[in-house]
Amino acid sequence: MHNDTDTHWWRTGAFYQVYIRSFADGNGDGTGDIAGLRSRLDHLEQLSIDAIWINPWFPSPLNDGGYDVAHYRDINPAYGTIEEAQLLIDEAAQRNIRVMVDLVPNHTSSEHRWFKEALASDPGSPARERYIFRDGRGVDGDEPPNNWQSVFGGSTWTRVEDGQWYLHLFDPTQPDLNWSNPAVEREFHDILRFWLDMGAAGFRVDVAHGLAKDPELPDIVRAESEAFRTERLDHPHWDRDEVHEIIRGWRSVLDEYEGSVMVAEAWVANWDRLARYLRPDEFHQVFAFEFLEAEWNAEAMRQAIQNSLDGAHSVGSVPTWVLSNHDVVRHPTRYALPNDVASKPWLLDGDRSVLNEDAGFRRARAATLLGLALPGSVYMYQGEELGLPEVHDLSEDVLDDPVWRQSGGTEKGRDGCRVPLPWSSEGPSYGFGSNGSWLPQPDGWGAFAADVQLGDPDSTLELYKAALALRSERLAGDETMEWVPSQPGVLTFRRAGGFTCVINLSRDSIALPDGNVLLASGSLDGGLLPPDTSVWID
Ligand code: GLC
């Protein structure tokens, strides 16, 4: 548990991500809500977490699960009211749980008042200047202003009635804001203050690396749209240096609120670039996605860990470990696939026979003990404490993710990790609510239910509870670790006070080091540590 006088609580904090739409449904309409979340605070408290991050809960047409915000200072009526949000923040605080809000600054919803004003105003007007409107190319301006491709598929440009085009890096209903307009910056500083004044602990910041655009809006010459992830390119809209000025402005607002924190979602080429977001006057945390993406082998894992440690240390910070979130295939399923099978294309039409669910489940538990033993902070995604796999067989007619629509059915999208949680082994929606769920839960979902796992010492829920309790008891506040030489395929490191973590990523059982076993991710084979298993030793 954190100490309120400790303004650096977040450096080694444990965070839990609530995808509110799918967490718990309090009013029986099939959609998760604040009432449901408030009714499940016991569950969160048992996990000894320091904070929750709630995915966007603002009024929204939900074209992108709420990342299309129509109003930044209110709550989507489907989720509740601003008064209930206040109650939640206060009740969570009584349990020593802080609440982080999702800030979506790159774009608004097309339903936002500003965008409606922009459409109703003339080209060049102040209302249009809040967004990125341009004339088209070609004889009649009927070609988009440039060749940029949306993250979800198709052009980043949509034409409006008077012939101008507006930019949207994501869905056409998510117009990009113009961050070189001071009015936009002022508005967001005000939004930050609004939630901080309500008692929010801070923000997870969406697409932090996309806010600044090259004012010339040049064509992207490189064909590989993803190349910016692997190489440092001078890209016209990803990871531009101007972004850091914007971030410093937000940080100065947060610094007025002691103990507040902001974490960046920034997909950039390497730690050299990522560390810049983590400088002392910028973000407190950036997700270490390299760890999430590392394949299941010791060298890849070790490298991802070391890069993250070095990168964060280079700016006086610590890494933020994460294995799953609402945008990626859940990690038990990722680890169930052979290393050379990429999970996203596999979801669409991959060979199901290559899936080794038992291995995935074992590895996920082992990876959890690994991540929770590392120095730094950690984010967990709702349902991972239940060992939930990806629901990979959702039928096409229930898919809701704009990725599916915008890609013309060539990418299945992220619905499979967003299926509503099972709370009880039986009942209409396994305890999610009283009346169905907005995405169908698969048969057998009840086997993962929280009530089945609670009290079962072998369950994933009890593993998380025990690990998080031990972590906060033994490791909170300590930021050091030391690798211990070990045989190929095995990673061992020591933390303060003699705490040691060993993970076996090889194919053979290995001898357990001396010491007292505090916790193991699977059953131990006498004095041996089986493959795909990790252990904490004292
Ligand atoms: C981020 C969010 C994702 C959303 C996108 C556009 O990547 O995590 O869910 O679709 O931004 O806002």
Side-chain angles (χ1 to χ4, degrees), residues 110-165:
S110 51
E111 297 292 308
H112 191 283
R113 178 176 59 85
W114 273 10
F115 194 69
K116 291 184 183 166
E117 281 174 22
L119 289 186
S121 307
D122 292 332
S125 59
R128 288 224 170 158
E129 282 305 303
R130 293 171 179 146
Y131 293 91
I132 303 175
F133 278 85
R134 288 290 187 282
D135 293 330
R137 295 198 288 206
V139 199
D140 302 315
D142 53 6
E143 286 166 31
N146 66 28
N147 69 351
W148 297 0
Q149 290 294 298
S150 146
V151 175
F152 294 160
S155 169
T156 50
W157 295 95
T158 292
R159 199 169 196 194
V160 301
E161 250 174 43
D162 58 35
Q164 276 211 310
W165 300 73

Side-chain angles (χ1 to χ4, degrees), residues 310-356:
D310 293 346
H313 290 164
S314 73
V315 285
S317 194
V318 276
T320 295
W321 310 103
V322 58
L323 288 169
S324 274
N325 64 33
H326 65 293
D327 288 330
V328 301
V329 172
R330 282 187 178 274
H331 60 275
T333 303
R334 290 203 314 271
Y335 294 144
L337 295 171
N339 276 336
D340 58 355
V341 175
S343 58
K344 285 200 171 173
W346 176 87
L347 264 190
L348 179 72
D349 54 10
D351 174 4
R352 284 341 191 219
S353 73
V354 302
L355 191 70
N356 183 343

Side-chain angles (χ1 to χ4, degrees), residues 11 48 57 68 83 91 95 134 141 146 151 160 183 186 202 269 305 352 403 419 439 444-445 457 465 472 475 505 524:
R11 284 178 77 101
S48 321
W57 56 354
D68 43 334
E83 289 77 22
E91 288 167 4
R95 297 172 187 249
R134 288 290 187 282
N146 66 28
V151 175
V160 301
R186 275 198 303 276
I305 292 168
R352 284 341 191 219
V403 166
V419 173
L439 267 178
W445 211 224
K465 279 171 57 183
S472 91
L475 304 175
L505 296 115
L524 299 177

